[in-house]
Amino acid sequence: QVQLVESGGGLVQAGGSLRLSCAASGRTLSTYAMGWFRQAPGKEREFVAAITRYGGNTYYAHSVKGRFTISRDGAKNTVYLQMNSLKPDDTAVYSCAATTAVVPTTSTHTYEYWGQGTQVTVSS
């Protein structure tokens, strides 16, 4: 079993930055590919970013490329999402997820474990 807990969300003005953390317990996270997803009220959950096992490769949604950075720290068993140049459209609940798949995908169906999510609100 993998337990995931997100933190770091909050209220920020457009153009500001936040760093989200996803702390894991129960299993060593380095053996899982990880993804960040977000969901705004009334909308479907969408893919944001993903990172392979041991952090070899990263993937991003087109909407966040150049602004967001996903990374992982094996020693801390934690995955991060650094968000810069935030826009009001980035407002959502952000969740991290883990998968045993070799290659992380943009589909929520690929991920077996999910955190509770953390709210990010970007004001104009």
Side-chain angles (χ1 to χ4, degrees), residues 66-85:
R67 300 190 298 120
F68 291 11
T69 302
I70 187 171
S71 62
R72 64 195 308 164
D73 186 330
K76 297 181 179 179
N77 214 26
T78 300
V79 176
Y80 303 95
L81 184 68
Q82 178 66 46
M83 306 185 295
N84 299 324
S85 301

Side-chain angles (χ1 to χ4, degrees), residues 13-101:
Q13 292 185 343
S17 299
L18 286 173
R19 188 181 75 160
L20 306 183
S21 298
C22 176
S25 62
R27 293 281 187 176
T28 175
L29 205 57
S30 61
T31 62
Y32 295 84
M34 299 294 299
W36 283 97
F37 294 79
R38 66 187 183 187
Q39 186 171 28
K43 297 184 178 180
E44 296 291 321
R45 192 186 305 273
E46 66 175 347
F47 169 79
V48 176
I51 188 167
T52 55
R53 296 164 179 168
Y54 307 103
N57 293 286
T58 57
Y59 308 87
Y60 298 94
H62 177 74
S63 61
V64 306
K65 285 183 178 179
R67 300 190 298 120
F68 291 11
T69 302
I70 187 171
S71 62
R72 64 195 308 164
D73 186 330
K76 297 181 179 179
N77 214 26
T78 300
V79 176
Y80 303 95
L81 184 68
Q82 178 66 46
M83 306 185 295
N84 299 324
S85 301
L86 284 163
K87 306 174 181 179
D89 285 347
D90 295 320
T91 296
V93 174
Y94 285 71
S95 301
C96 66
T99 178
T100 56

